[in-house]
Amino acid sequence: MKSLVPVIMAGILGIYGLIMSVVLIQRIGDGKGYDYKKGFSHFASGLCCGLSSWAAGYAIGVAGASGVRSNARQPAIFVGLILILILSLIHISEPTRLGMISYAVFCLKKKKKKKNK
Protein backbone atom coordinates (compact mmCIF):
# COMPACT_ATOMS: atom_id res chain seq x y z
CA MET A 1 0.00 0.00 0.00
CA LYS A 2 2.83 2.39 0.76
CA SER A 3 4.08 2.01 -2.79
CA LEU A 4 0.90 3.58 -4.21
CA VAL A 5 1.53 7.00 -2.64
CA PRO A 6 3.57 8.37 -5.62
CA VAL A 7 0.89 7.20 -8.06
CA ILE A 8 -1.86 8.94 -6.08
CA MET A 9 0.18 12.14 -5.83
CA ALA A 10 0.77 12.11 -9.58
CA GLY A 11 -2.99 11.74 -10.08
CA ILE A 12 -3.49 15.01 -8.21
CA LEU A 13 -1.68 16.78 -11.05
CA GLY A 14 -4.29 15.55 -13.52
CA ILE A 15 -6.99 17.15 -11.39
CA TYR A 16 -5.20 20.51 -11.76
CA GLY A 17 -5.50 20.20 -15.53
CA LEU A 18 -9.16 19.24 -15.28
CA ILE A 19 -9.93 22.28 -13.11
CA MET A 20 -8.07 24.55 -15.53
CA SER A 21 -9.98 23.16 -18.52
CA VAL A 22 -13.33 23.73 -16.79
CA VAL A 23 -12.36 27.32 -15.97
CA LEU A 24 -11.30 27.96 -19.57
CA ILE A 25 -14.43 26.41 -21.05
CA GLN A 26 -16.57 28.61 -18.79
CA ARG A 27 -14.72 31.69 -20.04
CA ILE A 28 -15.17 30.77 -23.71
CA GLY A 29 -18.93 30.33 -23.39
CA ASP A 30 -20.71 30.28 -26.73
CA GLY A 31 -17.69 31.64 -28.61
CA LYS A 32 -19.11 35.02 -29.57
CA GLY A 33 -16.46 37.73 -29.28
CA TYR A 34 -13.66 35.17 -28.94
CA ASP A 35 -10.66 36.77 -30.62
CA TYR A 36 -6.96 35.99 -30.99
CA LYS A 37 -6.01 37.75 -27.76
CA LYS A 38 -8.33 35.59 -25.66
CA GLY A 39 -7.31 32.48 -27.57
CA PHE A 40 -3.61 33.03 -26.98
CA SER A 41 -4.16 33.89 -23.32
CA HIS A 42 -6.12 30.66 -22.84
CA PHE A 43 -3.45 28.75 -24.73
CA ALA A 44 -0.72 30.23 -22.52
CA SER A 45 -2.59 29.42 -19.32
CA GLY A 46 -3.14 25.83 -20.46
CA LEU A 47 0.50 25.53 -21.46
CA CYS A 48 1.64 26.86 -18.06
CA CYS A 49 -0.61 24.38 -16.29
CA GLY A 50 0.48 21.48 -18.45
CA LEU A 51 4.21 22.11 -18.36
CA SER A 52 4.36 22.70 -14.61
CA SER A 53 2.29 19.55 -14.02
CA TRP A 54 4.60 17.65 -16.36
CA ALA A 55 7.67 18.80 -14.42
CA ALA A 56 6.05 17.96 -11.09
CA GLY A 57 5.02 14.54 -12.40
CA TYR A 58 8.57 13.87 -13.56
CA ALA A 59 9.97 14.85 -10.15
CA ILE A 60 7.40 12.69 -8.36
CA GLY A 61 8.22 9.78 -10.69
CA VAL A 62 11.95 9.97 -10.11
CA ALA A 63 11.64 10.46 -6.34
CA GLY A 64 8.88 7.87 -6.10
CA ALA A 65 10.78 5.17 -7.98
CA SER A 66 13.88 5.59 -5.86
CA GLY A 67 11.89 5.99 -2.66
CA VAL A 68 9.76 2.88 -3.17
CA ARG A 69 12.85 0.75 -3.84
CA SER A 70 14.58 2.17 -0.77
CA ASN A 71 11.45 1.69 1.32
CA ALA A 72 11.39 -1.99 0.37
CA ARG A 73 14.91 -2.37 1.75
CA GLN A 74 14.47 -0.22 4.85
CA PRO A 75 10.95 0.80 6.00
CA ALA A 76 12.22 3.75 8.06
CA ILE A 77 12.77 5.71 4.84
CA PHE A 78 9.01 6.05 4.25
CA VAL A 79 8.71 9.35 6.16
CA GLY A 80 11.52 10.87 4.10
CA LEU A 81 9.89 9.60 0.92
CA ILE A 82 6.61 11.30 1.81
CA LEU A 83 8.38 14.58 2.62
CA ILE A 84 10.25 14.59 -0.69
CA LEU A 85 7.08 13.77 -2.64
CA ILE A 86 5.08 16.51 -0.91
CA LEU A 87 7.81 19.08 -1.50
CA SER A 88 8.10 18.15 -5.17
CA LEU A 89 4.33 18.38 -5.57
CA ILE A 90 4.08 21.72 -3.80
CA HIS A 91 7.08 23.59 -5.16
CA ILE A 92 7.09 22.48 -8.77
CA SER A 93 3.34 22.69 -9.37
CA GLU A 94 3.04 26.06 -7.59
CA PRO A 95 2.73 27.98 -10.91
CA THR A 96 -0.33 25.90 -11.74
CA ARG A 97 -2.14 26.79 -8.54
CA LEU A 98 -1.06 30.44 -8.70
CA GLY A 99 -2.21 30.61 -12.30
CA MET A 100 -5.61 29.12 -11.46
CA ILE A 101 -6.11 31.46 -8.50
CA SER A 102 -5.02 34.59 -10.36
CA TYR A 103 -7.17 33.70 -13.37
CA ALA A 104 -10.19 33.13 -11.12
CA VAL A 105 -9.64 36.50 -9.43
CA PHE A 106 -9.30 38.16 -12.84
CA CYS A 107 -12.57 36.60 -14.01
CA LEU A 108 -14.39 37.69 -10.86
CA LYS A 109 -13.14 41.26 -11.15
CA LYS A 110 -14.15 41.39 -14.79
CA LYS A 111 -17.70 40.21 -13.93
CA LYS A 112 -18.02 42.85 -11.21
CA LYS A 113 -17.02 45.59 -13.65
CA LYS A 114 -19.63 44.41 -16.17
CA LYS A 115 -22.35 44.41 -13.50
CA ASN A 116 -21.47 47.96 -12.37
CA LYS A 117 -21.82 49.33 -15.92
Side-chain angles (χ1 to χ4, degrees):
M1 273 320 258
K2 290 181 179 181
S3 300
L4 290 177
V5 173
V7 176
I8 293 169
M9 292 184 101
I12 294 170
L13 298 171
I15 294 171
Y16 287 154
L18 181 67
I19 292 170
M20 196 66 191
S21 67
V22 169
V23 168
L24 291 177
I25 287 173
Q26 291 295 322
R27 291 299 300 158
I28 292 172
D30 60 355
K32 293 179 183 175
Y34 194 72
D35 56 353
Y36 288 113
K37 183 180 176 184
K38 290 180 184 176
F40 281 118
S41 68
H42 291 159
F43 174 70
S45 62
L47 198 62
C48 176
C49 177
L51 290 177
S52 64
S53 292
W54 173 73
Y58 189 77
I60 288 172
V62 169
S66 303
V68 167
R69 279 190 239 118
S70 298
N71 185 36
R73 291 187 200 126
Q74 185 166 359
I77 295 181
F78 183 69
V79 174
L81 168 67
I82 295 297
L83 288 174
I84 290 172
L85 289 175
I86 289 173
L87 290 175
S88 65
L89 180 68
I90 290 172
H91 291 296
I92 295 177
S93 65
E94 191 68 30
T96 302
R97 282 192 305 262
L98 288 176
M100 286 191 301
I101 291 169
S102 63
Y103 195 73
V105 169
F106 171 74
C107 292
L108 290 175
K109 283 186 177 182
K110 196 169 186 179
K111 284 184 179 181
K112 283 184 182 179
K113 285 182 182 179
K114 285 183 179 179
K115 286 181 182 178
N116 290 338
K117 289 182 181 180

